[in-house]
Structures are given as C-alpha cells and as structure tokens.
Amino acid sequence: MLAIFNKGLVNPPQELYSPASLCSSRKPKLPEEIVKDFVSSNPSNAFTMSFGDSALLACISQGNSYPRQQRLFCGLDGIYCIFLGSLNNLCSLNKQYGLSKGTNEAMLIIEAYRTLRDRGPYPAHKVLQDMDGRFGFVVYDSKAGQVFAALGANEGAELFWGIAADGSVVISDNLEVIKGSCAKSFAPFPSACMFHSEQGLMSFEHPSSKMKALPRIDSEGTMCGANFKVDVHSRIGSMPRVGSEANWALGGSRA
C-alpha cells in the first residue's frame, strides 16, 4: 500500500527529515514519480485514487496468491481507509459499533473514525486499545482534510514513513518503496502509536507520555531519519476530556 499527503495537509515530526537526503546518491522523489514506480511494479493489479494536490492513495490487490497479510481498501462518505492485517475481535467490535457481521476491518476503522470525529464518546487511544490483532491502517478524511494512521502493538504488520522531494509525507508497508522514494528521510512507523494530522504522533498504549526521537544511523554511518519511542519519564500534562459535542481531534497536546 501507498499513501502520500501534501506537506500542507500533514505536519510530521521534524526528526523524520534528514539533511543527508540532499547529498545522498539516491535522491528523494516527487509524488508523481513515487506513484508511477509503485504502479509499474504490478500494473495489472494496482489501484490508485488521487485527491488533487492534497493526497493520493494506492494499493496493489492480492490477486490469487496467498497473501502475507490481508490488505483492504474502502471508502464511505468521503472517508477512505487502507487496512493491513486482521483483528481477532472483529465480530465483537462490529457489534459494539452496530455494524453487520460481514463488515470487514477497513469498514470498521472508518466507522470508528467517524464516531470519534463526530461524537467522541471516549479518546482515540481507547478505541485503538480495544483492537486485538496485528494491524496497521491509514485513514484519509477528504471532507475534513484530516489524516489518521496507526500501527498495532503486535508484531506482524509494519508501516514505514518518510519525506518526499517536495516535503510530502509518504506512508507504505513496503520498506523498499520508502527507501526508493525518500532517500535518507524515512523511519519505521512506531508500533502501538497513532498519528493525527492535527494532534501529531502519540502512543496509544501510553497516551500520557511524550514521544522522543532517537537518531537512526544507517550502514553508511549517515543519520537516516529517527526512531520514535515512548519517553516513560515524561508526561503530557492532562489528557483531554472529549464530550459528545466536541471534535475528538481538537483536544490534547502535540508530541
């Protein structure tokens, strides 16, 4: 999967960018080049959706081969989701959100996001804590102009993110795609964490602790983005109380 968001839409952690990208033998690419290369790897099974200059989502269908992990894509009412992995408690979550038994994980994520955005019964970190399984996802709300991404705590699903040549944020589950697109400005997306375009990066396992960036040095001895870890000795202050009339995304402190 591949998701690209304009720098005006998403403001990622500054530590994700590495100045070494400017002098690297492998230069970062523009979004148009990244998408072209991604689609060319499997043109008959590739699907792309563009939202002007703001965002682009792409996915390669699993075909007839046995997938390493499930990949799902769906959209509803201007909200789009790419989901990786699976949820062990999907049936109980569908029941909790009033969804039919046949609802898949991507549709569940959209409904959970929409509930958080519009009604906010409890904080976003609680929603993710309730999900049991190996998962990662990216949500793009085209009407609100918001991005919400998360990676579960269990091993088995991976996400990587980086910075394209024009400053856009690139997210993919394919490390080679990220390396080829972002030069030295990339990193693994941290597990048990979520990122919101307005709230930034935070741990949903330790929501009251700040995130800290640890420099990543590659095999060439060059600083290459950063690993983001929970700083267990820090505190964010107070977690937001989100009422039924509040937009969940507007509360809290930025990591």
Side-chain angles (χ1 to χ4, degrees):
M1 58 79 68
L2 175 69
I4 304 176
F5 302 107
N6 185 279
K7 63 180 180 180
L9 182 69
V10 174
N11 186 22
Q14 293 182 352
E15 296 86 352
L16 195 58
Y17 171 75
S18 172
S21 287
L22 298 176
C23 54
S24 172
S25 58
R26 178 184 288 176
K27 303 297 182 183
K29 299 176 181 179
L30 293 169
E32 296 79 9
E33 299 175 274
I34 298 172
V35 176
K36 182 179 179 180
D37 291 345
F38 181 81
V39 171
S40 67
S41 66
N42 197 335
S44 60
N45 291 319
F47 169 82
T48 63
M49 179 172 286
S50 178
F51 302 86
D53 296 330
S54 298
L56 185 141
L57 302 175
C59 201
I60 294 177
S61 64
Q62 295 164 178
N64 296 323
S65 61
Y66 185 81
R68 182 171 61 88
Q69 66 180 357
Q70 178 179 234
R71 290 176 174 84
L72 299 169
F73 175 87
C74 69
L76 179 67
D77 295 336
I79 305 172
Y80 302 86
C81 175
I82 301 178
F83 181 93
L84 311 171
S86 60
L87 296 175
N88 300 326
N89 60 340
L90 177 62
C91 291
S92 62
L93 290 174
N94 281 340
K95 185 177 181 180
Q96 176 182 333
Y97 284 95
L99 302 173
S100 65
K101 293 181 179 180
T103 300
N104 64 31
E105 284 91 343
M107 287 298 298
L108 168 71
I109 295 297
I110 287 180
E111 184 59 31
Y113 167 83
R114 187 163 58 174
T115 300
L116 286 166
R117 183 195 66 184
D118 298 340
R119 298 191 292 276
Y122 39 74
H125 68 265
K126 175 60 178 172
V127 171
L128 295 174
Q129 288 173 357
D130 289 343
M131 295 180 181
D132 175 28
R134 301 175 179 178
F135 67 90
F137 65 80
V138 178
V139 170
Y140 175 54
D141 185 340
S142 62
K143 294 182 179 179
Q146 295 180 350
V147 175
F148 183 40
L151 181 64
N154 297 334
E155 295 182 1
E158 293 181 306
L159 286 177
F160 304 90
W161 57 347
I163 308 297
D166 66 347
S168 296
V169 175
V170 184
I171 304 175
S172 178
D173 64 328
N174 189 318
L175 178 57
E176 295 308 312
V177 168
I178 291 292
K179 284 183 176 180
S181 304
C182 305
K184 301 292 185 180
S185 298
F186 74 94
F189 192 96
S191 61
C193 287
M194 61 183 184
F195 175 83
H196 187 270
S197 50
E198 293 185 2
Q199 291 302 297
L201 180 68
M202 67 178 290
S203 166
F204 62 78
E205 280 195 334
H206 305 280
S208 61
S209 296
K210 295 180 179 180
M211 300 293 294
K212 63 180 178 179
L214 302 176
R216 291 176 60 245
I217 307 299
D218 66 11
S219 59
E220 299 174 352
T222 303
M223 185 176 292
C224 183
N227 285 322
F228 298 93
K229 303 290 185 181
V230 176
D231 185 354
V232 295
H233 302 294
S234 69
R235 309 299 282 181
I236 290 180
S238 61
M239 291 304 296
R241 290 179 176 269
V242 183
S244 60
E245 297 179 356
N247 184 330
W248 72 279
L250 298 180
S253 302
R254 191 167 192 152

